[in-house]
Amino acid sequence: GVSHAPPFVEVRAGQAPSGTEVELVQAFAREHGYPIEWVEGGHDQLMTALLDNRLHLVAGGHDEDSPWTDVGWSRAFVLRDPEGGFARRRLALPPAENAWQLSVDRYLHARERTLR
């Protein structure tokens, strides 16, 4: 799933999602041979689909104060914003999918220095 959260996730009608967080998910998928089918939507809609195990992850707009406590969360990662600052981000993951979460977290950990 992907939710509009500029500048890291840009969702525009008729275009593929873009932004550094989207590129991160695409690189993870490529490295593991996973196809991507983006599901665009509002944050609440996507998080509900994630809880229903209809999505593998949701990118876009997740900070550590999220009210969605029932989902799984990736380890935090840092991305540089276009204005030169940094932002801590997370990916929302299905609950109780430990092997999946470990795979995502290992990928993020291995690329931690290159994400900045």
Side-chain angles (χ1 to χ4, degrees):
V2 64
S3 181
H4 188 68
F8 306 105
V9 178
E10 299 277 347
V11 177
R12 294 191 175 98
Q15 297 180 13
S18 62
T20 53
E21 195 167 321
V22 170
E23 292 166 5
L24 176 67
V25 172
Q26 290 170 327
F28 169 76
R30 257 191 322 274
E31 183 172 298
H32 290 84
Y34 301 142
I36 294 180
E37 181 182 332
W38 292 111
V39 176
E40 299 172 4
H43 191 73
D44 290 346
Q45 168 196 5
L46 294 172
M47 296 300 272
T48 299
L50 186 70
L51 284 171
D52 291 342
N53 290 307
R54 291 182 281 133
L55 297 174
H56 291 98
L57 67 81
V58 176
H62 307 299
D63 61 33
E64 291 164 354
D65 295 330
S66 173
W68 292 92
T69 58
D70 294 342
V71 302
W73 291 104
S74 73
R75 67 181 287 132
F77 55 94
V78 177
L79 293 177
R80 183 183 304 270
D81 71 38
E83 296 166 6
F86 294 95
R88 287 177 58 85
R89 309 287 290 180
R90 298 185 303 169
L91 300 171
L93 305 169
E97 292 291 335
N98 297 343
W100 174 243
Q101 182 166 351
L102 183 59
S103 178
V104 171
D105 284 349
R106 281 183 175 157
Y107 181 83
L108 293 172
H109 178 71
R111 275 136 195 86
E112 193 166 38
R113 292 190 179 143
T114 63
L115 294 175
R116 297 180 187 185

